[in-house]
Amino acid sequence: MKVALVHDYLCQYGGAERVLEALQALYPEAPTFVLFYDQEAMGDRFIHRDIRSSFLQKFPGAMKHLRWTLPLMPTATEMYDLSEYDLIISSSSAFSKGIITRPNAIHICYCHTPTRYLWSDTHSYVSELSVPGPVKMLLPPLLSYLRSWDRLSADRVDHFIANSETVKTRIKKYYHADSTVIFPPVDTHKFSITPGPKDYFLAGGRLVPYKRFDMIVEAFNRLGVPLKIFGSGPMEQLLRKRAGKNIQFLGRVSDEERISLFQGAKAFLHPHEEDFGITPIESMAAGRPVIALRRGGATETVVEGVTGTFFDEQSWEELADTILHFDETLFNPEVIRQHAEHFSLAAFRERFTSFVAKTCRSHADKPIA
């Protein structure tokens, strides 16, 4: 059976790219089709893989201005020649599920989320986008066209896999399709429990507005307790200006530094809604509890009173109150780490390969029309 992988684009490294890496390890001979491949941004992570980018890659300056190619992305996706492949696995949060396959091929889509800027976040996307006024006026009709294409393209998928129950609900609402939940893989084996004092709280990731680092900074400015933040992004300079001396910004950190930060933290802060959320799992893999907003994927991974605690209102006041009443000594690191293993790379491989085998058997039993 010939297998191909399809991913939206390789321009930054995040949770979706971790899933792609796991899929590439399962199917090492399979080529990966993408709209864009920024090898400089990806470093050597995918250099040993067969990456095939679309015609959009050849446009002068397209890599620096991806949004300007948005109207052409559906066409570029449909132009991938997948006629020789029996099984196509798309890793999608946008366009890759819209591929065209031959009638008897099997298309499994691992859906990270229905396209956020077309469905759940479309109004905030338009209002927050920094573009000239005339361009912003053209966005609503463009997004309406893309929304129609996105809905129709979902019908081309034979089987959806959702990365969480939260995403499963969205797939049902926006695409009217059923799906099977298989949580994304987390490299839990890289983490371990360490003794020693836990004398700071930890937050981190891409420093972008929706992750609400501004709320974290405000809460810790009032509390005056130590906080470390790793990661970079467009909000970094503004956050640094607002932060008190008790808050330390670490920028981008190595994998080793990241692991050490989790191991030494009292707790990891997760104050926003994610489709799944990998960083809370990493904290739990290091035996450290999580303080999370009670929304989205965190409600499926954090166990109240066992691996962490929740707060309900997305405000600095409630976050600060939760931290004031938080006692890390009430949590058992061994129990926390054991729970994290439910989301390990090994668990992902077992569930995914089992799903594919079952799906292929069911298709083999069906007569070809």
Side-chain angles (χ1 to χ4, degrees), residues 84 141 222:
E84 65 179 286
R222 304 298 181 102

Side-chain angles (χ1 to χ4, degrees), residues 6-316:
V6 187
H7 190 69
D8 292 321
Y9 25 71
L10 289 173
C11 298
Q12 63 180 14
Y13 188 78
E17 287 66 43
R18 295 187 188 204
V19 171
L20 178 62
E21 286 182 310
L23 295 175
Q24 289 174 331
L26 287 173
Y27 306 99
E29 303 302 319
T32 302
F33 293 81
V34 295
L35 292 171
F36 295 97
Y37 175 35
D38 187 341
Q39 186 172 325
E40 182 178 350
M42 293 294 99
D44 59 0
R45 291 184 183 275
F46 298 97
I47 200 168
H48 59 298
R49 300 298 185 187
D50 180 2
I51 308 295
R52 305 182 187 182
S53 55
S54 73
F55 71 85
L56 297 178
Q57 180 98 18
K58 299 177 182 179
F59 283 17
M63 292 288 290
K64 294 182 179 180
H65 305 284
L66 298 185
R67 286 175 177 166
W68 296 105
T69 68
L70 194 60
L72 295 175
M73 288 182 182
T75 300
T77 299
E78 293 176 344
M79 286 182 65
Y80 298 144
D81 183 2
L82 301 166
S83 57
E84 65 179 286
Y85 299 100
D86 308 295
L87 171 64
I88 301 94
I89 302 169
S90 60
S91 162
S92 179
S93 59
F95 295 97
S96 62
K97 65 182 172 296
I99 54 174
I100 296 175
T101 66
R102 68 171 195 262
N104 60 341
I106 303 170
H107 176 191
I108 297 173
C109 174
Y110 189 95
C111 185
H112 306 283
T113 181
T115 316
R116 278 181 170 273
Y117 57 83
L118 298 180
W119 301 103
S120 56
D121 297 350
T122 186
H123 296 293
S124 59
Y125 175 79
V126 173
S127 62
E128 294 173 4
L129 196 61
S130 179
V131 294
V135 175
K136 185 168 286 194
M137 291 177 62
L138 296 174
L139 271 178
L142 171 60
L143 294 180
S144 291
Y145 155 69
L146 292 175
R147 194 175 298 112
S148 297
W149 181 89
D150 189 68
R151 172 61 189 87
L152 291 172
S153 73
D155 291 338
R156 303 173 190 174
V157 176
D158 295 309
H159 301 277
F160 272 106
I161 296 174
N163 76 348
S164 64
E165 292 290 342
T166 299
V167 169
K168 179 176 182 174
T169 301
R170 292 182 197 158
I171 292 172
K172 187 67 174 179
K173 177 175 178 61
Y174 298 124
Y175 299 152
H176 306 293
D178 294 323
S179 57
T180 300
V181 174
I182 299 179
F183 294 119
V186 182
D187 291 328
T188 56
H189 65 281
K190 293 183 177 180
F191 295 81
S192 61
I193 298 170
T194 59
K198 316 299 180 184
D199 54 5
Y200 57 87
F201 288 87
L202 181 66
R206 288 185 298 120
L207 305 186
V208 292
Y210 89 91
K211 289 184 181 281
R212 297 309 311 270
F213 286 98
D214 60 326
M215 186 177 76
I216 296 176
V217 167
E218 182 65 25
F220 277 80
N221 278 344
R222 304 298 181 102
L223 293 169
V225 299
L227 168 69
K228 294 186 179 184
I229 299 176
F230 65 84
S232 61
M235 289 194 68
E236 183 172 357
Q237 294 306 314
L238 177 61
L239 292 170
R240 284 178 179 270
K241 289 179 181 178
R242 292 182 178 178
K245 294 181 179 180
N246 57 305
I247 301 174
Q248 182 181 4
F249 288 86
L250 305 173
R252 293 184 179 181
V253 296
S254 67
D255 288 346
E256 292 76 15
E257 291 171 321
R258 183 187 181 99
I259 291 168
S260 179
L261 285 169
F262 278 115
Q263 291 171 330
K266 288 186 176 182
F268 180 76
L269 307 175
H270 185 76
H272 59 281
E273 181 178 351
E274 287 278 17
D275 307 319
F276 174 69
I278 286 179
T279 45
I281 306 299
E282 292 179 326
S283 178
M284 289 185 278
R288 307 312 306 150
V290 178
I291 299 174
L293 180 69
R294 200 190 303 269
R295 292 184 202 165
T299 62
E300 302 171 47
T301 60
V302 178
V303 181
E304 178 79 72
V306 179
T307 69
T309 191
F310 292 103
F311 63 99
D312 295 293
E313 181 184 333
Q314 198 175 38
S315 67
W316 73 261

